[in-house]
Amino acid sequence: MDKLVLPRRKPRKPEIVRLDPKAAAVVAKIVDETGYSVQFIVSQMVLFCKDRVELADMGDMDDAD
């Protein structure tokens, strides 16, 4: 199974999430097709991915921000 690998960073306070245009388009299409809200769709995606995320040290990634 493929993993989403994220480098570990210092914790931040919760914030409003803004999606990049490609991700927003994917969510908008799902919203149009299902009738669910953006909040519900994105929340379900996050919950689905939570066990599929792999954390890595910063040195493990070349293009980490």
Side-chain angles (χ1 to χ4, degrees):
M1 170 176 30
D2 291 336
K3 297 268 187 173
L4 170 62
V5 179
L6 300 174
R8 295 180 190 270
R9 295 180 136 184
K10 293 181 181 178
R12 297 182 182 179
K13 293 181 181 179
E15 57 189 78
I16 294 172
V17 176
R18 299 188 194 285
L19 300 175
D20 67 48
K22 287 184 181 180
V26 169
V27 174
K29 183 175 182 192
I30 295 170
V31 167
D32 288 343
E33 292 177 1
T34 65
Y36 287 110
S37 68
V38 170
Q39 179 183 358
F40 179 81
I41 297 299
V42 174
S43 294
Q44 292 302 305
M45 289 176 164
V46 170
L47 293 172
F48 175 80
C49 291
K50 71 179 176 61
D51 294 329
R52 293 165 177 83
V53 172
E54 181 178 319
L55 300 178
D57 293 326
M58 291 295 286
D60 295 344
M61 300 204 43
D62 295 334
D63 296 321
D65 290 60

